[in-house]
Amino acid sequence: MIESFEALEEQINSCTACQLHESATHKVIMKGGKNPKVLFIGEAPGKNEDASGIPFCGRAGKILDDMIEDMDIQQNDWAVINTVKCRPPDNRRPRKGELAACRAFFEKQIDMLDPDVIILLGNTAEEAFLGNRQLQWGECREIDGKNVVKFYHPAALIYTKSRQPEQQEFIEKNSTLW
Ligand code: SF4
């Protein structure tokens, strides 16, 4: 049984449960406070994250940082994780088997971080957390005592700038949650 973040990190770092470990440079585990009010869940590490071992450290990370500032969430009141801890080759979406292989780590992280609010960044995060797609973009639903909201993934906002005002609306609509 995993009792600490250090023990969880050790297990993730030595994991070879799916093929993604073969091409990964670093396992990418989490960033942020260990007792967060808000937990963001992204899809998977990208090139910069794989190189550094830090989630959301590239262009998408800058958008997430700006979003957190805009949401006025204080440092240590937020954390971010991904559905899988190793980068899928060519930044493809994680496959079902890979999500399943990493599920125990994903669930353990959510359990240990125990946030009040979970923000699912995109469809893969929603499928990993809920098992399928249930939420509309920007919708909030109470699930197991937590407020769960679905936002666009920051990377999607890089490529489709027209979604940025919509994301801003989602933030404003749900701002009393955090
Ligand atoms: S993605 Fe998850 S399950 Fe697959 S090797 Fe990496 S840590 Fe293990």
Side-chain angles (χ1 to χ4, degrees):
M1 190 168 169
I2 303 168
E3 297 292 356
S4 67
F5 285 105
E6 290 74 20
L8 178 62
E9 206 172 302
E10 258 177 49
Q11 287 213 1
I12 293 173
N13 280 329
S14 60
C15 178
T16 56
C18 80
Q19 62 177 2
L20 293 183
H21 81 277
E22 290 169 9
S23 53
T25 310
H26 290 104
K27 302 289 171 74
V28 180
I29 300 175
M30 69 162 282
K31 180 166 80 174
K34 299 281 169 60
N35 185 23
K37 186 169 181 191
V38 180
L39 176 64
F40 296 90
I41 300 178
E43 182 176 287
K47 190 177 172 195
N48 293 319
E49 289 76 16
D50 178 62
S52 66
I54 301 167
F56 283 86
C57 65
R59 282 172 76 196
K62 172 77 176 77
I63 293 182
L64 180 65
D65 289 347
D66 290 347
M67 212 166 94
I68 291 168
E69 196 179 327
D70 196 37
M71 292 163 81
D72 201 21
I73 304 174
Q74 302 307 303
Q75 203 180 3
N76 295 325
D77 279 349
W78 63 269
V80 61
I81 63 171
N82 283 305
T83 61
V84 291
K85 314 306 168 203
C86 300
R87 180 193 182 201
D90 302 319
N91 291 347
R92 65 164 170 75
R93 286 183 69 179
R95 296 183 176 132
K96 277 194 179 355
E98 293 158 354
L99 290 170
C102 221
R103 174 166 299 284
F105 293 141
F106 176 69
E107 288 179 350
K108 189 69 191 172
Q109 283 184 303
I110 296 171
D111 193 40
M112 289 173 80
L113 292 165
D114 193 25
D116 299 330
V117 180
I118 291 178
I119 299 186
L120 304 169
L121 299 170
N123 289 327
T124 305
E126 182 182 17
E127 286 166 14
F129 184 72
L130 295 172
N132 53 25
R133 292 194 205 163
Q134 300 180 19
L135 299 174
Q136 301 297 315
W137 296 107
E139 181 188 347
C140 174
R141 197 177 295 175
E142 194 180 321
I143 298 170
D144 295 334
K146 300 187 188 305
N147 287 302
V148 180
V149 196
K150 184 180 175 185
F151 281 5
Y152 292 127
H153 191 287
L157 300 177
I158 294 173
Y159 301 110
T160 319
K161 286 197 168 39
S162 57
R163 286 179 175 163
Q164 287 180 5
E166 229 182 311
Q167 184 94 311
Q168 190 57 37
E169 275 177 35
F170 302 162
I171 290 172
E172 283 164 19
K173 190 172 86 177
N174 290 292
S175 64
T176 53
L177 297 178
W178 48 82

